[in-house]
């Protein structure tokens, strides 16, 4: 059960963390049927489909969206297909208490739904001279609706290169437990309802 934090508490926790407490990670869904809210989030954001059946899945998406007979069923069919497709995204993770927090999405990572398939400490790519944790404001970044704590980097191409190198990896080994052992020194057991 994730502890409830106010946004101010979360901001202060994030701002007080050292750079080596943040991790670049590739997250993959656990291929289970999505709730309506989860589907809405995935379909709104830039998430990428991978796996052996990637081409077939993307072809099916196009057919469902354009076939006159299927248009009425498209939202339900798309939700099922997204649930069964391998969907990956890049995240910058950190620990808040016992839970994994995705700083870019500004939310706790649901590890019942998603798994960590690759991760590296951010300081393998950045150090205090070229990256820092700080507030961004809507004045600086118009897409933001409020002050937001993010990792500010001098060279974003490093993150892009990292994503290109790792998001296309063939194997999907679940490294979530390895992440917890490295970060917290104890194994993680997925607790199902």
């Amino acid at each position: 059960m994730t502890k409830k934090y106010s946004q101010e508490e979360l901001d202060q926790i994030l701002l007080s963390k050292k750079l080596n407490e943040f991790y670049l990670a590739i997250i993959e869904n656990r291929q289970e049927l999505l709730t309506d809210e989860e589907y809405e989030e995935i379909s709104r954001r830039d998430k990428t489909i991978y796996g052996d059946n990637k081409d077939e899945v993307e072809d099916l998406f196009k057919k469902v969206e354009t076939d006159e007979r299927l248009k009425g069923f498209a939202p339900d069919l798309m939700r099922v297909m997204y649930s069964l497709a391998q969907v990956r995204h890049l995240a910058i993770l950190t620990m808040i208490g016992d839970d994994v927090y995705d700083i870019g999405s500004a939310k706790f990572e649901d590890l019942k739904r998603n798994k960590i398939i690759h991760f590296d400490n951010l300081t393998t790519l950045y150090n205090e001279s070229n990256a820092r944790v700080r507030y961004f404001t809507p004045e600086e970044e118009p897409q933001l609706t409020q002050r937001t704590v993010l990792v500010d980097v001098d060279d974003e191409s490093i993150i892009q290169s990292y994503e290109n190198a790792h998001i296309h990896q063939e194997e999907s080994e679940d490294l979530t437990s390895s992440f917890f052992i490295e970060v917290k020194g104890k194994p993680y057991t997925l607790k199902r309802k």
Side-chain angles (χ1 to χ4, degrees):
M1 180 81 179
T2 301
K3 177 183 183 291
K4 291 286 181 213
Y5 295 90
S6 70
Q7 193 56 54
E8 290 75 18
E9 285 177 306
L10 283 173
D11 289 351
Q12 288 312 308
I13 291 166
L14 291 167
L15 286 169
S16 68
K17 284 179 172 286
K18 295 182 173 70
L19 201 61
N20 67 1
E21 295 178 71
F22 292 87
Y23 293 79
L24 266 178
I26 306 295
I27 307 295
E28 183 178 288
N29 65 313
R30 291 187 184 275
Q31 295 180 282
E32 295 178 353
L33 204 57
L34 299 170
T35 64
D36 290 338
E37 294 78 23
E38 288 166 335
Y39 168 65
E40 283 298 316
E41 185 179 347
I42 280 181
S43 59
R44 276 196 316 267
R45 295 180 54 187
D46 182 23
K47 306 234 175 164
T48 312
I49 296 163
Y50 288 97
D52 297 336
N53 61 348
K54 175 188 173 185
D55 292 338
E56 291 93 330
V57 170
E58 289 182 338
D59 190 46
L60 252 164
F61 277 19
K62 285 190 192 96
K63 284 180 180 160
V64 167
E65 288 175 320
T66 55
D67 188 302
E68 287 301 321
R69 295 162 301 164
L70 295 177
K71 274 188 179 170
F73 304 103
D76 291 334
L77 288 168
M78 297 290 275
R79 184 177 145 210
V80 169
M81 288 192 291
Y82 264 117
S83 298
L84 301 176
Q86 283 179 285
V87 182
R88 290 182 186 167
H89 68 282
L90 179 80
I92 296 179
L93 305 177
T94 192
M95 294 296 297
I96 294 183
D98 289 325
D99 297 297
V100 176
Y101 187 78
D102 179 343
I103 189 169
S105 300
K107 66 183 181 65
F108 287 93
E109 191 61 63
D110 183 354
L111 296 172
K112 288 189 176 76
R113 285 289 185 195
N114 300 306
K115 57 190 174 185
I116 300 166
I117 64 166
H118 199 283
F119 67 93
D120 277 297
N121 192 289
L122 202 60
T123 53
T124 61
L125 300 161
Y126 294 99
N127 58 45
E128 303 296 337
S129 72
N130 61 5
R132 64 220 57 81
V133 183
R134 73 174 185 90
Y135 268 126
F136 280 85
T137 66
E139 293 77 35
E140 294 170 296
E141 300 289 335
Q143 71 268 28
L144 298 176
T145 56
Q146 63 184 42
R147 280 165 62 101
T148 304
V149 178
L150 292 170
V151 176
D152 178 31
V153 299
D154 293 340
D155 182 1
E156 289 188 10
S157 70
I158 298 172
I159 288 180
Q160 188 65 57
S161 298
Y162 181 92
E163 182 175 31
N164 292 342
H166 298 294
I167 205 165
H168 299 282
Q169 68 187 50
E170 292 298 314
E171 68 282 355
S172 296
E173 187 183 353
D174 187 350
L175 301 180
T176 307
S177 189
S178 302
F179 177 83
F180 274 79
I181 290 167
E182 176 160 329
V183 177
K184 290 190 69 70
K186 62 183 185 183
Y188 169 76
T189 308
L190 184 63
K191 298 173 196 73
R192 298 258 173 216
K193 286 179 185 170

